[in-house]
mmCIF file with all atom_site columns, all heavy atoms in Angstrom:
data_model
loop_
_atom_site.group_PDB
_atom_site.id
_atom_site.type_symbol
_atom_site.label_atom_id
_atom_site.label_alt_id
_atom_site.label_comp_id
_atom_site.label_asym_id
_atom_site.label_entity_id
_atom_site.label_seq_id
_atom_site.pdbx_PDB_ins_code
_atom_site.Cartn_x
_atom_site.Cartn_y
_atom_site.Cartn_z
_atom_site.occupancy
_atom_site.B_iso_or_equiv
_atom_site.pdbx_formal_charge
_atom_site.auth_seq_id
_atom_site.auth_comp_id
_atom_site.auth_asym_id
_atom_site.auth_atom_id
_atom_site.pdbx_PDB_model_num
ATOM 1   N N   . THR A 1 34 ? -8.133  13.402 -19.882 1.00 96.00 ? 48 THR A N   1
ATOM 2   C CA  . THR A 1 34 ? -9.473  13.585 -20.315 1.00 96.00 ? 48 THR A CA  1
ATOM 3   C C   . THR A 1 34 ? -10.401 13.434 -19.086 1.00 96.00 ? 48 THR A C   1
ATOM 4   O O   . THR A 1 34 ? -10.076 12.779 -18.113 1.00 96.00 ? 48 THR A O   1
ATOM 5   C CB  . THR A 1 34 ? -9.943  12.602 -21.391 1.00 96.00 ? 48 THR A CB  1
ATOM 6   O OG1 . THR A 1 34 ? -9.796  11.248 -20.839 1.00 96.00 ? 48 THR A OG1 1
ATOM 7   C CG2 . THR A 1 34 ? -8.957  12.718 -22.582 1.00 96.00 ? 48 THR A CG2 1
ATOM 8   N N   . PHE A 1 35 ? -11.500 14.218 -19.135 1.00 94.00 ? 49 PHE A N   1
ATOM 9   C CA  . PHE A 1 35 ? -12.467 14.117 -18.030 1.00 94.00 ? 49 PHE A CA  1
ATOM 10  C C   . PHE A 1 35 ? -13.835 14.209 -18.609 1.00 94.00 ? 49 PHE A C   1
ATOM 11  O O   . PHE A 1 35 ? -14.228 15.229 -19.274 1.00 94.00 ? 49 PHE A O   1
ATOM 12  C CB  . PHE A 1 35 ? -12.271 15.289 -17.052 1.00 94.00 ? 49 PHE A CB  1
ATOM 13  C CG  . PHE A 1 35 ? -13.161 15.223 -15.834 1.00 94.00 ? 49 PHE A CG  1
ATOM 14  C CD1 . PHE A 1 35 ? -12.940 14.214 -14.865 1.00 94.00 ? 49 PHE A CD1 1
ATOM 15  C CD2 . PHE A 1 35 ? -14.175 16.116 -15.659 1.00 94.00 ? 49 PHE A CD2 1
ATOM 16  C CE1 . PHE A 1 35 ? -13.720 14.165 -13.756 1.00 94.00 ? 49 PHE A CE1 1
ATOM 17  C CE2 . PHE A 1 35 ? -14.964 16.074 -14.503 1.00 94.00 ? 49 PHE A CE2 1
ATOM 18  C CZ  . PHE A 1 35 ? -14.718 15.068 -13.587 1.00 94.00 ? 49 PHE A CZ  1
ATOM 19  N N   . GLU A 1 36 ? -14.637 13.150 -18.470 1.00 94.00 ? 50 GLU A N   1
ATOM 20  C CA  . GLU A 1 36 ? -16.023 13.044 -19.037 1.00 94.00 ? 50 GLU A CA  1
ATOM 21  C C   . GLU A 1 36 ? -16.845 12.206 -18.174 1.00 94.00 ? 50 GLU A C   1
ATOM 22  O O   . GLU A 1 36 ? -16.436 11.004 -17.753 1.00 94.00 ? 50 GLU A O   1
ATOM 23  C CB  . GLU A 1 36 ? -15.923 12.490 -20.435 1.00 94.00 ? 50 GLU A CB  1
ATOM 24  C CG  . GLU A 1 36 ? -17.236 12.528 -21.146 1.00 94.00 ? 50 GLU A CG  1
ATOM 25  C CD  . GLU A 1 36 ? -17.120 12.066 -22.590 1.00 94.00 ? 50 GLU A CD  1
ATOM 26  O OE1 . GLU A 1 36 ? -16.089 12.225 -23.216 1.00 94.00 ? 50 GLU A OE1 1
ATOM 27  O OE2 . GLU A 1 36 ? -18.088 11.532 -23.086 1.00 94.00 ? 50 GLU A OE2 1
ATOM 28  N N   . LYS A 1 37 ? -18.010 12.689 -17.819 1.00 95.00 ? 51 LYS A N   1
ATOM 29  C CA  . LYS A 1 37 ? -18.990 11.914 -16.996 1.00 95.00 ? 51 LYS A CA  1
ATOM 30  C C   . LYS A 1 37 ? -18.367 11.403 -15.694 1.00 95.00 ? 51 LYS A C   1
ATOM 31  O O   . LYS A 1 37 ? -18.497 10.235 -15.349 1.00 95.00 ? 51 LYS A O   1
ATOM 32  C CB  . LYS A 1 37 ? -19.672 10.797 -17.776 1.00 95.00 ? 51 LYS A CB  1
ATOM 33  C CG  . LYS A 1 37 ? -20.421 11.278 -18.973 1.00 95.00 ? 51 LYS A CG  1
ATOM 34  C CD  . LYS A 1 37 ? -21.047 10.114 -19.737 1.00 95.00 ? 51 LYS A CD  1
ATOM 35  C CE  . LYS A 1 37 ? -21.789 10.719 -20.951 1.00 95.00 ? 51 LYS A CE  1
ATOM 36  N NZ  . LYS A 1 37 ? -22.430 9.649  -21.742 1.00 95.00 ? 51 LYS A NZ  1
ATOM 37  N N   . MET A 1 38 ? -17.648 12.242 -14.988 1.00 95.00 ? 52 MET A N   1
ATOM 38  C CA  . MET A 1 38 ? -17.050 11.946 -13.721 1.00 95.00 ? 52 MET A CA  1
ATOM 39  C C   . MET A 1 38 ? -15.925 10.922 -13.788 1.00 95.00 ? 52 MET A C   1
ATOM 40  O O   . MET A 1 38 ? -15.578 10.318 -12.798 1.00 95.00 ? 52 MET A O   1
ATOM 41  C CB  . MET A 1 38 ? -18.073 11.583 -12.621 1.00 95.00 ? 52 MET A CB  1
ATOM 42  C CG  . MET A 1 38 ? -19.093 12.713 -12.392 1.00 95.00 ? 52 MET A CG  1
ATOM 43  S SD  . MET A 1 38 ? -18.348 14.310 -12.012 1.00 95.00 ? 52 MET A SD  1
ATOM 44  C CE  . MET A 1 38 ? -17.693 14.040 -10.433 1.00 95.00 ? 52 MET A CE  1
ATOM 45  N N   . VAL A 1 39 ? -15.347 10.695 -14.972 1.00 97.00 ? 53 VAL A N   1
ATOM 46  C CA  . VAL A 1 39 ? -14.318 9.716  -15.135 1.00 97.00 ? 53 VAL A CA  1
ATOM 47  C C   . VAL A 1 39 ? -13.079 10.510 -15.749 1.00 97.00 ? 53 VAL A C   1
ATOM 48  O O   . VAL A 1 39 ? -13.246 11.128 -16.766 1.00 97.00 ? 53 VAL A O   1
ATOM 49  C CB  . VAL A 1 39 ? -14.657 8.536  -16.037 1.00 97.00 ? 53 VAL A CB  1
ATOM 50  C CG1 . VAL A 1 39 ? -13.465 7.654  -16.259 1.00 97.00 ? 53 VAL A CG1 1
ATOM 51  C CG2 . VAL A 1 39 ? -15.804 7.707  -15.383 1.00 97.00 ? 53 VAL A CG2 1
ATOM 52  N N   . MET A 1 40 ? -11.957 10.444 -15.065 1.00 96.00 ? 54 MET A N   1
ATOM 53  C CA  . MET A 1 40 ? -10.768 11.066 -15.539 1.00 96.00 ? 54 MET A CA  1
ATOM 54  C C   . MET A 1 40 ? -9.804  9.968  -15.982 1.00 96.00 ? 54 MET A C   1
ATOM 55  O O   . MET A 1 40 ? -9.540  9.026  -15.217 1.00 96.00 ? 54 MET A O   1
ATOM 56  C CB  . MET A 1 40 ? -10.121 11.945 -14.482 1.00 96.00 ? 54 MET A CB  1
ATOM 57  C CG  . MET A 1 40 ? -8.892  12.572 -14.914 1.00 96.00 ? 54 MET A CG  1
ATOM 58  S SD  . MET A 1 40 ? -8.187  13.749 -13.660 1.00 96.00 ? 54 MET A SD  1
ATOM 59  C CE  . MET A 1 40 ? -9.271  15.177 -13.915 1.00 96.00 ? 54 MET A CE  1
ATOM 60  N N   . GLU A 1 41 ? -9.200  10.149 -17.187 1.00 97.00 ? 55 GLU A N   1
ATOM 61  C CA  . GLU A 1 41 ? -8.161  9.235  -17.605 1.00 97.00 ? 55 GLU A CA  1
ATOM 62  C C   . GLU A 1 41 ? -6.906  10.011 -17.949 1.00 97.00 ? 55 GLU A C   1
ATOM 63  O O   . GLU A 1 41 ? -6.992  11.182 -18.356 1.00 97.00 ? 55 GLU A O   1
ATOM 64  C CB  . GLU A 1 41 ? -8.584  8.497  -18.951 1.00 97.00 ? 55 GLU A CB  1
ATOM 65  C CG  . GLU A 1 41 ? -9.839  7.595  -18.603 1.00 97.00 ? 55 GLU A CG  1
ATOM 66  C CD  . GLU A 1 41 ? -10.270 6.875  -19.906 1.00 97.00 ? 55 GLU A CD  1
ATOM 67  O OE1 . GLU A 1 41 ? -9.792  7.158  -21.034 1.00 97.00 ? 55 GLU A OE1 1
ATOM 68  O OE2 . GLU A 1 41 ? -11.120 5.982  -19.765 1.00 97.00 ? 55 GLU A OE2 1
ATOM 69  N N   . ALA A 1 42 ? -5.732  9.447  -17.678 1.00 97.00 ? 56 ALA A N   1
ATOM 70  C CA  . ALA A 1 42 ? -4.508  10.146 -17.870 1.00 97.00 ? 56 ALA A CA  1
ATOM 71  C C   . ALA A 1 42 ? -3.395  9.071  -17.967 1.00 97.00 ? 56 ALA A C   1
ATOM 72  O O   . ALA A 1 42 ? -3.574  7.898  -17.771 1.00 97.00 ? 56 ALA A O   1
ATOM 73  C CB  . ALA A 1 42 ? -4.205  11.113 -16.714 1.00 97.00 ? 56 ALA A CB  1
ATOM 74  N N   . SER A 1 43 ? -2.173  9.574  -18.323 1.00 97.00 ? 57 SER A N   1
ATOM 75  C CA  . SER A 1 43 ? -1.055  8.667  -18.368 1.00 97.00 ? 57 SER A CA  1
ATOM 76  C C   . SER A 1 43 ? 0.219   9.433  -17.987 1.00 97.00 ? 57 SER A C   1
ATOM 77  O O   . SER A 1 43 ? 0.263   10.636 -17.916 1.00 97.00 ? 57 SER A O   1
ATOM 78  C CB  . SER A 1 43 ? -0.900  8.089  -19.778 1.00 97.00 ? 57 SER A CB  1
ATOM 79  O OG  . SER A 1 43 ? -0.597  9.141  -20.681 1.00 97.00 ? 57 SER A OG  1
ATOM 80  N N   . VAL A 1 44 ? 1.252   8.638  -17.720 1.00 96.00 ? 58 VAL A N   1
ATOM 81  C CA  . VAL A 1 44 ? 2.598   9.178  -17.465 1.00 96.00 ? 58 VAL A CA  1
ATOM 82  C C   . VAL A 1 44 ? 3.611   8.208  -17.860 1.00 96.00 ? 58 VAL A C   1
ATOM 83  O O   . VAL A 1 44 ? 3.373   6.998  -17.768 1.00 96.00 ? 58 VAL A O   1
ATOM 84  C CB  . VAL A 1 44 ? 2.712   9.558  -15.899 1.00 96.00 ? 58 VAL A CB  1
ATOM 85  C CG1 . VAL A 1 44 ? 2.744   8.362  -15.067 1.00 96.00 ? 58 VAL A CG1 1
ATOM 86  C CG2 . VAL A 1 44 ? 3.937   10.480 -15.651 1.00 96.00 ? 58 VAL A CG2 1
ATOM 87  N N   . GLU A 1 45 ? 4.755   8.672  -18.188 1.00 93.00 ? 59 GLU A N   1
ATOM 88  C CA  . GLU A 1 45 ? 5.892   7.802  -18.458 1.00 93.00 ? 59 GLU A CA  1
ATOM 89  C C   . GLU A 1 45 ? 6.684   7.598  -17.207 1.00 93.00 ? 59 GLU A C   1
ATOM 90  O O   . GLU A 1 45 ? 7.079   8.598  -16.598 1.00 93.00 ? 59 GLU A O   1
ATOM 91  C CB  . GLU A 1 45 ? 6.739   8.321  -19.628 1.00 93.00 ? 59 GLU A CB  1
ATOM 92  C CG  . GLU A 1 45 ? 7.818   7.286  -19.985 1.00 93.00 ? 59 GLU A CG  1
ATOM 93  C CD  . GLU A 1 45 ? 8.663   7.720  -21.199 1.00 93.00 ? 59 GLU A CD  1
ATOM 94  O OE1 . GLU A 1 45 ? 8.011   8.177  -22.217 1.00 93.00 ? 59 GLU A OE1 1
ATOM 95  O OE2 . GLU A 1 45 ? 9.876   7.624  -21.160 1.00 93.00 ? 59 GLU A OE2 1
ATOM 96  N N   . LEU A 1 46 ? 6.897   6.387  -16.764 1.00 89.00 ? 60 LEU A N   1
ATOM 97  C CA  . LEU A 1 46 ? 7.553   6.141  -15.530 1.00 89.00 ? 60 LEU A CA  1
ATOM 98  C C   . LEU A 1 46 ? 8.591   5.080  -15.716 1.00 89.00 ? 60 LEU A C   1
ATOM 99  O O   . LEU A 1 46 ? 8.274   3.938  -16.136 1.00 89.00 ? 60 LEU A O   1
ATOM 100 C CB  . LEU A 1 46 ? 6.532   5.677  -14.486 1.00 89.00 ? 60 LEU A CB  1
ATOM 101 C CG  . LEU A 1 46 ? 7.042   5.514  -13.004 1.00 89.00 ? 60 LEU A CG  1
ATOM 102 C CD1 . LEU A 1 46 ? 7.579   6.845  -12.480 1.00 89.00 ? 60 LEU A CD1 1
ATOM 103 C CD2 . LEU A 1 46 ? 5.969   5.034  -12.171 1.00 89.00 ? 60 LEU A CD2 1
ATOM 104 N N   . ASN A 1 47 ? 9.823   5.420  -15.535 1.00 85.00 ? 61 ASN A N   1
ATOM 105 C CA  . ASN A 1 47 ? 10.973  4.482  -15.732 1.00 85.00 ? 61 ASN A CA  1
ATOM 106 C C   . ASN A 1 47 ? 10.886  3.798  -17.118 1.00 85.00 ? 61 ASN A C   1
ATOM 107 O O   . ASN A 1 47 ? 11.195  2.650  -17.247 1.00 85.00 ? 61 ASN A O   1
ATOM 108 C CB  . ASN A 1 47 ? 10.941  3.395  -14.657 1.00 85.00 ? 61 ASN A CB  1
ATOM 109 C CG  . ASN A 1 47 ? 11.112  3.972  -13.232 1.00 85.00 ? 61 ASN A CG  1
ATOM 110 O OD1 . ASN A 1 47 ? 11.793  4.969  -13.067 1.00 85.00 ? 61 ASN A OD1 1
ATOM 111 N ND2 . ASN A 1 47 ? 10.523  3.345  -12.286 1.00 85.00 ? 61 ASN A ND2 1
ATOM 112 N N   . GLY A 1 48 ? 10.578  4.616  -18.131 1.00 87.00 ? 62 GLY A N   1
ATOM 113 C CA  . GLY A 1 48 ? 10.553  4.124  -19.511 1.00 87.00 ? 62 GLY A CA  1
ATOM 114 C C   . GLY A 1 48 ? 9.243   3.408  -19.927 1.00 87.00 ? 62 GLY A C   1
ATOM 115 O O   . GLY A 1 48 ? 9.152   2.965  -21.047 1.00 87.00 ? 62 GLY A O   1
ATOM 116 N N   . ASP A 1 49 ? 8.395   3.188  -18.981 1.00 89.00 ? 63 ASP A N   1
ATOM 117 C CA  . ASP A 1 49 ? 7.085   2.550  -19.244 1.00 89.00 ? 63 ASP A CA  1
ATOM 118 C C   . ASP A 1 49 ? 5.916   3.533  -19.210 1.00 89.00 ? 63 ASP A C   1
ATOM 119 O O   . ASP A 1 49 ? 5.951   4.502  -18.438 1.00 89.00 ? 63 ASP A O   1
ATOM 120 C CB  . ASP A 1 49 ? 6.806   1.404  -18.212 1.00 89.00 ? 63 ASP A CB  1
ATOM 121 C CG  . ASP A 1 49 ? 7.845   0.311  -18.319 1.00 89.00 ? 63 ASP A CG  1
ATOM 122 O OD1 . ASP A 1 49 ? 8.171   -0.078 -19.420 1.00 89.00 ? 63 ASP A OD1 1
ATOM 123 O OD2 . ASP A 1 49 ? 8.244   -0.171 -17.251 1.00 89.00 ? 63 ASP A OD2 1
ATOM 124 N N   . ASN A 1 50 ? 4.913   3.289  -20.057 1.00 94.00 ? 64 ASN A N   1
ATOM 125 C CA  . ASN A 1 50 ? 3.699   4.057  -20.042 1.00 94.00 ? 64 ASN A CA  1
ATOM 126 C C   . ASN A 1 50 ? 2.738   3.527  -18.955 1.00 94.00 ? 64 ASN A C   1
ATOM 127 O O   . ASN A 1 50 ? 2.414   2.368  -19.007 1.00 94.00 ? 64 ASN A O   1
ATOM 128 C CB  . ASN A 1 50 ? 2.993   4.021  -21.397 1.00 94.00 ? 64 ASN A CB  1
ATOM 129 C CG  . ASN A 1 50 ? 1.896   5.037  -21.455 1.00 94.00 ? 64 ASN A CG  1
ATOM 130 O OD1 . ASN A 1 50 ? 1.964   6.179  -20.977 1.00 94.00 ? 64 ASN A OD1 1
ATOM 131 N ND2 . ASN A 1 50 ? 0.793   4.671  -22.108 1.00 94.00 ? 64 ASN A ND2 1
#
Side-chain angles (χ1 to χ4, degrees):
T48 61
F49 185 70
E50 186 175 329
K51 297 182 181 178
M52 300 308 290
V53 175
M54 180 176 280
E55 296 180 351
S57 64
V58 69
E59 188 174 313
L60 186 63
N61 299 327
D63 294 320
N64 188 42

